């Protein structure tokens, strides 16, 4: 028996981007553990990845290309060869370009794998074809933008620093489900005496780890932040020296915005009692080194960008960045020492190419005389994860649309394809990874041969490029070549660190010692007042659920600990615990005359969805929680997912998704 241990990286769209040690026996993955040498993973994996071998060797893996034989969306396919699949795709693309131009082709992809090469694999090809380019707005671009409006490209605080904080706020972060390795630092901070606050809209499992829990009305955190700022100023808890040296516009904020955000007014907007708001503001203002770890949930609202911009004022006002353990981490993106520029769309197009919002996929496919004739989907499952599912599916059903789906599994999206291509999992391909939750990068080397005839994104794109007659030698490069090119271009990484990375070791990128005080804005200061933006000052704007979304219940569709977006749905689950379901406060259940376990229908102007109902005190009245983005076979009607209820309305800034800014009504169907 040949037994090997290979260093790899967890490829999923998770801030932790864990280092893995993969054991293979005779070419099969038999064990996956966390890499103890990884500065953030520290040897531990989450429950999803602790059995990655079950995903890699799942009997549901696709092993050959498939061609549709039944009607669109019927999921009836027959196996074909790669030669036939690639020739068909090239022929259809060429014909489409000839008749309608490059803009008749649209690739759609997201973060099925976070590897820099496989994630961006389609860009070099589709940029050359002049195809339609979408932004990557399905997750939380408004969060990034909100931070940037006042902080520019300033580094977020290293998450490990949190262990030195005396006041930790996990704000809109269900860390136990989505960022479990931060709990290592939260526990260390607690052991040193820190107080931990969690701010959410329902009592998530992470709330159990907190000393204090604050529950806000959905989408009102911007007002909460302004209420804290009001109290900090009123009670002289602001750091005047820090503000004088490093902040632009604080006085304008105090003069023009804060007067409206008295504790009483903020309590009315947010539902947070005045006493609790005062306690939070006081704890934050009197702490030596408060640390905010900001999750993404609160940015998926119509006011998401503004909310983050307002929260980002807090550490500036108290000068948290001056102290070890103090600061804020929204995301670690500002820092990338290693980047995927050589895969970039603009570089390959030779110009800056505008984007369309990816959350508008349904609208784009359904425009009258839609210009899109060919859709190439990889590393994403939009038939289940994109908002306004009914509209997306109407688009995918169009007979004049030629759809290719490159996937590991026959997902809900793959069922709508004309051609399905089998994709490798991360352990079957080489790649290099950053993280958006910490500063460690690593290479994940191929550990086993591809399952069946599956191919990586990059290998597949190279085949299609050649079949289209593109002779550029860029498409002769292997993923390994590209890793070397990426490292060669990484001028801020030392040769010693590059050698370490190439040897398979994770490397924590060396942030400058004074990184927290290097404000990478135009002025070099924290720009609370920013005339480039409208409005020029942070303020509070109401979310869609207070203005246009309709329904008596707020729908929370936050992550499930067992799956990641719609990934891991191929797993065999413990059926004792409800899978896809709807959770209500017991009083609401009673008022609606519902019995636990019965089937209910959630409905709104977007669509309907049937699920079994359960009751839980953790859920606030007039709220329904449905965890996770499950494949449609997990819903009671087996024909819809949670996104039958969400809308493609955009965020205030950066054209992002508003998944959580939704209301529904409920009726019994049994
Ligand atoms: N197990 C698991 N892990 C995951 C994922 C998954 O699906 N499952 N998804 C991955 C992906 S793609 C991402 S982007 C990250 C996201 O991970 P996070 O950054 O944690 O973001 P969310 O889980 O969307 O939301 C976090 C919390 O915000 C709360 N929330 C929602 N609206 C509001 C609000 O208005 N105010 C406040 N204060 N809280 C609010 C939700 O109830 C939730 O508990 O997780 C990644 N990790
Ligand atoms: N209602 C609601 N909707 C949501 C969310 C929510 O909280 N609520 N979360 C949103 C968020 S934050 C995000 S980021 C999006 C994510 O939405 P998606 O981008 O659709 O992410 P996944 O559902 O994880 O689907 C990724 C797919 O890529 C495939 N894949 C994995 N590796 C590879 C590979 O190497 N090559 C190819 N070709 N395929 C591969 C996987 O099998 C999987 O089916 O969903 C969003 N949708
Ligand atoms: S899903 Fe996240 S926490 Fe789990 S192993 Fe992957 S990177 Fe780590
Ligand atoms: Mo995401």
């Amino acid at each position: 028996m040949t037994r090997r241990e290979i260093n790899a990286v967890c490829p999923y769209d998770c801030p932790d981007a864990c280092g893995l040690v993969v054991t293979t026996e005779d070419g099969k993955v038999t064990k996956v553990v966390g890499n103890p040498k990884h500065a953030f993973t520290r040897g531990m994996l989450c429950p999803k990845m602790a059995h990655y071998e079950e995903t890699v060797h799942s009997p549901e893996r696709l092993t050959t290309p498939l061609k549709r034989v039944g009607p669109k969306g019927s999921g009836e396919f027959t196996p074909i060869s790669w030669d036939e699949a690639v020739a068909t795709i090239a022929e259809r693309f060429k014909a489409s370009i000839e008749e309608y131009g490059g803009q008749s082709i649209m690739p759609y992809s997201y973060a099925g794998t976070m590897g820099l090469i496989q994630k961006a694999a389609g860009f070099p090809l589709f940029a050359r074809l002049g195809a339609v380019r979408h932004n990557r707005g399905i997750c939380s671009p408004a969060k990034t933008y909100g931070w940037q409006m006042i902080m520019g490209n300033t580094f977020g605080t290293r998450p490990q620093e949190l262990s030195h904080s005396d006041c930790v706020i996990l704000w809109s972060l269900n860390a136990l489900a989505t960022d479990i390795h931060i709990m290592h630092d939260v526990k260390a901070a607690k052991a040193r005496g820190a107080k931990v606050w969690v701010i959410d809209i329902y009592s998530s499992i992470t709330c159990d780890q907190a000393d204090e829990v604050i529950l806000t009305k959905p989408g009102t955190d911007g007002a909460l932040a302004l209420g804290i700022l009001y109290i900090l100023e009123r009670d002289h808890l602001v750091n005047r020296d820090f503000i004088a040296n490093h902040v632009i516009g604080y006085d304008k904020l105090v003069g023009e915005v804060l007067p409206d955000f008295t504790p009483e007014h903020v309590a009315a907007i947010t539902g947070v009692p005045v006493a609790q708001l005062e306690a939070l503001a006081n704890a934050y203002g009197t702490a030596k080194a408060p640390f905010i770890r900001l999750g993404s949930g609160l940015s998926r609202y119509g006011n998401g960008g503004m909310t983050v911009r307002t929260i980002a004022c807090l550490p500036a006002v108290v000068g948290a960045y001056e102290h070890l353990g103090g600061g804020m981490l929204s995301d670690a993106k500002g820092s990338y020492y290693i980047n995927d520029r050589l895969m970039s769309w603009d570089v390959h197009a030779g110009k800056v190419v505008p984007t369309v919002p990816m959350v508008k996929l349904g609208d784009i496919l359904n425009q009258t005389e839609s210009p899109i004739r060919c859709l190439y989907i990889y590393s994403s499952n939009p038939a289940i994860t994109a908002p306004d599912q009914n509209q997306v599916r109407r688009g995918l059903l169009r007979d004049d649309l030629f759809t290719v789906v490159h996937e590991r599994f026959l997902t809900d999206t793959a069922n709508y394809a004309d051609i399905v291509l089998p994709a490798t999992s991360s352990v079957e391909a080489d790649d290099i990874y950053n993280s958006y939750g910490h500063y460690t990068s690593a290479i994940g080397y191929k550990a086993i041969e591809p399952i069946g005839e599956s191919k990586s994104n990059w290998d597949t794109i190279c085949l299609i490029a050649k079949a289209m007659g593109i002779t550029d030698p860029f498409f002769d490069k292997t993923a390994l070549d590209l890793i070397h090119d990426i490292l060669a271009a990484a001028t801020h990484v030392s040769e010693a660190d590059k050698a370490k990375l190439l040897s398979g070791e994770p490397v924590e990128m060396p942030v400058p010692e004074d990184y927290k005080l290097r404000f990478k804005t135009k002025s070099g200061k924290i720009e609370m007042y920013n005339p480039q933006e409208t409005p020029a000052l942070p303020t509070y704007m109401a979310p869609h659920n207070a203005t246009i979304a309709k329904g008596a219940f707020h729908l929370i569709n936050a992550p499930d600990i067992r799956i990641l977006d719609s990934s891991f749905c191929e797993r065999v689950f413990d059926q004792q615990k409800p899978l896809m379901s709807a959770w209500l406060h017991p009083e609401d259940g009673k008022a609606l005359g519902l019995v636990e376990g019965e089937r209910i229908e959630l409905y709104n102007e977007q669509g309907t969805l049937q699920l079994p109902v359960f009751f839980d005190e953790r859920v606030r009245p007039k709220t329904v929680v449905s965890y996770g983005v499950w494949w449609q076979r997990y819903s009671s009607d087996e024909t819809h997912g949670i996104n039958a209820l969400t809308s493609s309305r955009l965020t205030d800034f950066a054209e992002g998704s508003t998944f959580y800014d939704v209301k529904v009504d409920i009726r019994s169907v049994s």
Side-chain angles (χ1 to χ4, degrees):
M1 187 183 72
T2 334
R3 191 167 179 281
R4 294 203 305 145
E5 274 188 6
I6 300 110
N7 281 0
V9 182
C10 176
Y12 289 97
D13 184 359
C14 169
D16 294 14
C18 286
L20 313 176
V21 181
V22 174
T23 305
T24 67
E25 290 173 19
D26 292 334
K28 273 193 90 170
V29 177
T30 52
K31 193 168 121 190
V32 181
V33 296
N35 188 342
K37 289 191 191 154
H38 188 286
F40 195 61
T41 305
R42 294 164 278 204
M44 185 195 68
L45 291 186
C46 71
K48 306 178 289 295
M49 278 302 274
H51 289 287
Y52 190 36
E53 73 282 357
E54 291 178 9
T55 289
V56 173
H57 297 292
S58 162
E60 293 202 43
R61 281 287 298 274
L62 291 165
T63 54
T64 66
L66 304 171
K67 173 171 88 174
R68 175 167 71 85
V69 289
K72 274 258 173 176
S74 64
E76 291 165 40
F77 296 103
T78 190
I80 55 170
S81 68
W82 268 96
D83 284 348
E84 183 183 342
V86 170
T88 310
I89 295 166
E91 199 180 297
R92 293 294 298 256
F93 281 8
K94 278 194 220 162
S96 191
I97 292 171
E98 206 155 289
E99 199 170 346
Y100 308 103
Q103 291 275 300
S104 63
I105 300 178
M106 178 167 165
Y108 181 99
S109 71
Y110 200 63
T113 165
M114 291 295 282
L116 298 188
I117 294 159
Q118 308 301 345
K119 183 179 180 192
F123 296 175
L125 171 64
F126 291 104
R128 280 178 175 73
L129 300 185
V132 171
R133 176 189 188 185
H134 66 66
N135 71 0
R136 289 201 148 176
I138 199 158
C139 184
S140 45
K143 182 185 182 192
T144 309
Y145 199 90
W147 168 266
Q148 285 176 345
M149 277 191 277
I150 98 161
M151 301 299 289
N153 287 321
T154 306
F155 288 4
T157 310
R158 261 182 96 233
Q160 295 95 324
E161 253 204 72
L162 184 151
S163 63
H164 297 282
S165 169
D166 56 343
C167 173
V168 173
I169 304 183
L170 304 179
W171 198 326
S172 186
L173 180 81
N174 186 3
L176 286 195
T178 63
D179 187 19
I180 192 161
H181 296 85
I182 196 84
M183 292 313 290
H184 188 101
D185 305 293
V186 172
K187 285 198 185 107
K190 263 185 145 174
R192 292 194 173 108
K195 205 163 167 186
V196 177
W197 298 72
V198 172
I199 307 178
D200 206 300
I201 51 175
Y202 79 104
S203 299
S204 75
I205 45 177
T206 301
C207 293
D208 300 347
Q209 310 294 315
D211 299 300
E212 299 284 345
V213 174
I214 299 226
L215 299 181
T216 65
K217 284 189 196 157
T220 64
D221 300 72
L224 185 68
L226 291 166
I228 299 171
L229 288 164
Y230 179 101
I231 296 168
L232 294 175
E233 173 63 24
R234 181 198 68 193
D235 295 353
H236 311 291
L237 293 172
V238 301
N239 184 333
R240 295 268 165 223
D241 289 341
F242 183 87
I243 292 171
N245 291 328
H246 300 295
V247 177
I248 292 177
Y250 178 66
D251 290 341
K252 275 189 194 294
L253 185 77
V254 171
E256 295 172 29
V257 181
L258 293 189
D260 283 343
F261 293 91
T262 60
E264 292 69 28
H265 186 206
V266 168
I269 299 173
T270 62
V272 176
V274 169
Q276 221 186 6
L277 171 64
E278 294 276 358
L280 170 63
N282 191 264
Y284 192 77
T286 55
K288 180 157 182 281
F291 191 115
I292 297 173
R293 175 65 174 101
L294 190 69
S296 303
L298 52 64
S299 73
R300 296 194 188 108
Y301 288 83
N303 59 3
M306 185 59 91
T307 298
V308 174
R309 182 184 189 185
T310 308
I311 293 172
C313 294
L314 291 169
V317 161
V318 297
Y321 296 115
E322 285 185 327
H323 306 287
L324 177 70
M328 170 163 161
L329 179 62
S330 178
D331 64 47
K333 272 181 213 156
S335 66
Y336 288 163
Y337 285 72
I338 292 172
N339 66 62
D340 55 1
R341 211 182 124 69
L342 68 86
M343 305 294 289
S344 126
W345 192 298
D346 288 341
V347 165
H348 288 272
K351 59 179 182 195
V352 177
V353 177
T355 58
V356 297
M358 87 183 278
V359 297
K360 293 285 185 192
L361 178 66
D363 309 64
I364 291 168
L365 293 179
N366 286 291
Q367 284 161 17
T368 28
E369 297 292 310
S370 170
I372 309 298
R373 307 285 162 150
C374 301
L375 189 61
Y376 183 93
I377 301 173
Y378 63 102
S379 297
S380 190
N381 185 11
I384 208 80
T385 57
D388 196 0
Q389 178 176 68
N390 291 311
Q391 170 102 309
V392 170
R393 290 181 174 203
R394 261 195 304 283
L396 291 173
L397 276 174
R398 267 175 45 199
D399 267 323
D400 63 338
L401 183 72
F402 172 68
T403 304
V404 181
V405 177
H406 188 198
E407 246 302 343
R408 301 177 308 166
F409 298 101
L410 200 60
T411 56
D412 293 308
T413 305
N415 269 321
Y416 287 89
D418 295 285
I419 302 274
V420 180
L421 302 172
T424 44
S425 78
S426 62
V427 287
E428 299 149 51
D430 301 309
D431 217 330
I432 182 162
Y433 299 80
N434 282 326
S435 157
Y436 58 93
H438 57 71
Y439 293 121
T440 298
S441 298
I443 292 174
Y445 285 115
K446 178 172 159 178
I448 59 167
E449 287 305 312
I451 299 289
E453 295 175 19
S454 60
K455 290 189 194 296
S456 73
N457 293 353
W458 178 241
D459 290 351
T460 304
I461 287 295
C462 292
L463 282 180
I464 297 171
K466 289 190 179 120
M468 305 254 337
I470 297 173
T471 54
D472 190 326
F474 190 76
F475 296 100
D476 294 328
K477 288 180 187 278
T478 63
L480 266 185
D481 296 333
L482 293 171
I483 290 174
H484 283 275
D485 291 351
I486 284 175
L487 284 180
T491 44
H492 286 77
V493 182
S494 71
E495 290 308 313
D497 281 346
K498 287 181 188 175
K500 248 192 192 173
L501 285 166
L502 285 167
S503 78
E505 261 192 62
V507 174
E508 179 161 31
M509 293 297 141
V511 287
E513 208 160 303
D514 62 344
Y515 76 101
K516 290 198 293 178
L517 296 172
R518 292 195 190 192
F519 303 112
K520 297 190 183 181
T521 54
K522 275 212 184 91
S523 61
K525 295 192 175 192
I526 294 174
E527 296 176 347
M528 278 181 201
Y529 175 72
N530 180 349
Q532 306 297 318
E533 300 293 346
T534 312
L537 283 169
T539 186
Y540 173 69
M541 300 190 314
H544 294 155
N545 65 66
T547 52
I548 35 182
K550 289 189 190 71
F553 286 78
H554 189 91
L555 172 66
I556 300 179
N557 45 108
D560 189 295
I561 197 157
R562 296 163 290 188
I563 57 174
L564 190 142
D565 302 326
S566 77
S567 291
F568 295 107
C569 279
E570 75 283 352
R571 287 291 176 81
V572 178
F573 296 102
D574 173 2
Q575 300 285 334
Q576 297 306 310
K577 297 185 191 131
L579 298 175
M580 190 178 181
S581 41
W583 295 79
L584 292 178
H585 190 274
E587 291 300 321
D588 282 334
K590 214 158 87 188
L592 288 164
L594 301 173
V595 184
E596 271 211 293
E598 82 166 276
R599 189 194 281 205
I600 58 166
E601 186 161 80
L602 308 179
Y603 65 99
N604 61 15
E605 70 278 17
Q606 302 297 132
T608 63
L609 171 67
Q610 296 190 358
L611 294 174
V613 68
F614 298 94
F615 307 142
D616 191 339
E617 298 274 349
R618 285 173 173 276
V619 180
R620 304 175 90 193
K622 292 293 166 208
T623 303
V624 49
V625 178
S626 182
Y627 308 94
V629 193
W630 297 83
W631 287 354
Q632 68 177 33
R633 72 185 189 206
Y634 290 101
S635 73
S636 298
D637 57 23
E638 295 183 25
T639 49
H640 294 98
I642 192 73
N643 283 311
L645 300 167
T646 60
S647 93
S648 65
R649 286 188 291 259
L650 299 174
T651 46
D652 47 357
F653 296 95
E655 301 188 322
S657 62
T658 58
F659 287 113
Y660 300 167
D661 209 352
V662 174
K663 292 181 129 186
V664 294
D665 285 303
I666 297 175
R667 57 189 163 220
S668 166
V669 286
S670 42

